[in-house]
């Protein structure tokens, strides 16, 4: 019985997390300008997946399936992926301020995506996610090179990231201003602030596998991330293949960031705030921290998406505005609590 106790705890925690995530997805599909009961959401899913045959209003069923549910799933994937990236980067770089947005990865992904969409870079061979991935890798490579040149202090990578982020944001703005039509420019600038309005099921089949694969890869390297807490040299002394782990985790972080940016645009504060919030709940061991961050990130993004649709009647705000409005004060609160704890 004693040996089974940890397994039962893990199974119970996983089941509770799944129920919580499904409930959040249900709320994301039910709440909006037109409120729809949760049971209608469940019946819609049953009708679409298992042909249950529940009699429903076609309009309500269409709103849930074709618009809100796909949007909620992509929001959950985006929140999970960005939170995982934040955990990985903060661990590898040993810096509490590291996240895809601050390190310029999001900005680079945006530049890559805009280059493909407007300039036609790749001559049709590059898709939007592929362009975003290349941009993310180029941005992180540039930031890393600049940080190495400036020095190996913990602040160097953040300063280099800020410089890189400003550079790629400027490049994106230049491309949009110079080459885009007025309609393209308006759509892209709205997208760059974070936009889930155009998300449909094809986007789900892109975002969901990437988020799941990212979680699996990160969990597989949870022990290595624990070792990186004490530095790369300590990790190597514990038998961790430092270079391979670093390359794999940076690559999966860039892939997750690029994929989500190509779908919903650049969203800040999720990768920065969520890992710190998760540490306050489950501690610093990555075996718990990674799934907790993924869950909290998913729920946070679903809640932000719901707020973006209902906070101003008849108008949808960019989701990046909501994450910044709540993320900045939350991060300030976390910082003040950490200072008090010291």
């Amino acid at each position: 019985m004693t040996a089974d106790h940890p397994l039962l705890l893990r199974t119970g925690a996983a089941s509770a997390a799944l129920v919580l995530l499904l409930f959040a997805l249900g709320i994301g599909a039910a709440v909006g300008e037109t409120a729809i009961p949760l049971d209608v959401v469940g019946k819609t899913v049953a009708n679409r997946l298992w042909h249950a045959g529940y009699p429903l209003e076609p309009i309500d069923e269409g709103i849930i399936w074709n618009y809100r549910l796909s949007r909620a799933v992509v929001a959950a994937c985006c929140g999970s992926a960005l939170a995982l990236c934040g955990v990985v980067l903060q661990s590898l770089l040993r810096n509490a301020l590291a996240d895809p947005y601050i390190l310029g990865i999001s900005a680079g992904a945006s530049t890559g995506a805009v280059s493909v969409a407007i300039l036609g870079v790749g001559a049709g061979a590059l898709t939007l996610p592929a362009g975003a991935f290349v941009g993310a890798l180029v941005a992180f490579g540039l930031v890393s090179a600049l940080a190495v040149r400036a020095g190996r202090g913990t602040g160097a990578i953040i300063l280099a990231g800020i410089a890189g982020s400003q550079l790629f944001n400027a490049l994106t703005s230049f491309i949009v201003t110079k080459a885009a039509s007025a309609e393209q420019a308006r759509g892209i600038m709205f997208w760059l602030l974070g936009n889930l309005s155009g998300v449909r099921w094809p986007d789900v089949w892109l975002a969901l596998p990437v988020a799941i694969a990212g979680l699996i890869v990160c969990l597989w390297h949870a022990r290595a991330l624990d070792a990186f807490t004490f530095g790369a040299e300590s990790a190597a002394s514990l038998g961790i293949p430092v270079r391979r782990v670093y390359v794999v985790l940076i690559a999966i972080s860039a892939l997750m960031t690029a994929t989500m940016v190509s779908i919903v645009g650049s969203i800040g504060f999720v990768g920065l705030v969520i890992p710190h919030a998760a540490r306050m709940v489950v501690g610093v061991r990555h075996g718990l921290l990674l799934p907790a961050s993924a869950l909290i990130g998913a729920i946070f993004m679903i809640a932000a998406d719901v707020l973006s649709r209902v906070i101003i009647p008849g108008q949808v705000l960019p989701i990046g505005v909501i994450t910044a409005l709540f993320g900045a004060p939350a991060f300030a609160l976390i910082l003040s609590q950490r200072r008090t704890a010291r």
Side-chain angles (χ1 to χ4, degrees), residues 194-219:
N195 181 25
L196 285 162
S197 296
V199 166
R200 297 295 181 264
W201 285 107
D203 299 305
V204 173
W205 308 132
L206 175 61
L208 187 60
V210 170
I212 292 173
L215 177 59
I216 292 171
V217 170
C218 291
L219 284 173

Side-chain angles (χ1 to χ4, degrees), residues 265-316:
S266 185
I267 297 173
F269 283 100
V270 178
L272 178 63
V273 174
I274 299 301
H276 291 289
R279 287 187 189 96
M280 295 173 67
V281 177
V282 300
V284 297
R285 292 181 64 89
H286 287 83
L288 291 175
L289 179 61
L290 287 165
S293 296
L295 177 64
I296 296 171
I299 294 172
F300 175 75
M301 279 292 287
I302 293 171
D305 179 45
V306 170
L307 275 175
S308 73
R309 286 183 274 135
V310 302
I311 196 168
I312 301 177
Q315 184 176 347
V316 179

Side-chain angles (χ1 to χ4, degrees), residues 6-228:
L7 179 60
L8 290 173
L9 282 177
R10 290 194 199 98
T11 304
S15 301
L18 180 60
V19 169
L20 192 58
L21 179 59
L22 291 175
F23 179 73
L25 289 170
I27 293 295
V31 177
E33 195 170 345
T34 302
I36 299 173
L38 265 177
D39 67 307
V40 175
V41 175
K43 290 176 180 177
T44 297
V45 174
N47 283 351
R48 295 286 181 156
L49 296 182
W50 301 292
H51 308 288
Y54 289 112
L56 298 173
E57 288 288 337
I59 294 178
D60 289 347
E61 189 171 357
I63 289 173
I64 291 169
W65 187 259
N66 296 322
Y67 175 63
R68 291 186 186 170
L69 191 57
S70 58
R71 183 171 175 147
V73 173
V74 170
C77 293
C78 182
S80 295
L82 293 178
L84 287 171
C85 291
V87 173
V88 168
L89 293 174
Q90 288 169 15
S91 176
L92 291 180
L93 302 176
R94 299 180 66 201
N95 194 306
L97 295 178
D99 89 319
Y101 194 82
I102 290 178
L103 294 184
I105 297 176
S106 293
S110 298
T111 303
V114 167
S115 298
V116 171
I118 295 180
L119 298 181
V121 171
L126 280 179
T127 62
L128 202 66
F133 181 62
V134 172
L137 287 181
V138 169
F140 189 76
L142 180 64
V143 168
S144 299
L146 182 58
V148 170
R149 178 94 178 184
R152 296 183 179 272
T154 57
I157 187 73
I158 299 300
L159 294 174
I162 292 171
S165 184
Q166 293 298 319
L167 171 64
F168 283 99
N169 283 332
L171 284 174
T172 300
S173 299
F174 178 77
I175 293 169
V176 172
T177 304
K178 190 74 176 173
S181 64
E183 185 177 348
Q184 278 183 319
R186 183 181 180 279
I188 287 174
M189 295 312 292
F190 192 79
W191 170 76
L192 287 174
L193 291 172
N195 181 25
L196 285 162
S197 296
V199 166
R200 297 295 181 264
W201 285 107
D203 299 305
V204 173
W205 308 132
L206 175 61
L208 187 60
V210 170
I212 292 173
L215 177 59
I216 292 171
V217 170
C218 291
L219 284 173
W220 184 263
H221 291 88
R223 178 175 170 270
L225 287 170
D226 285 336
F228 269 96

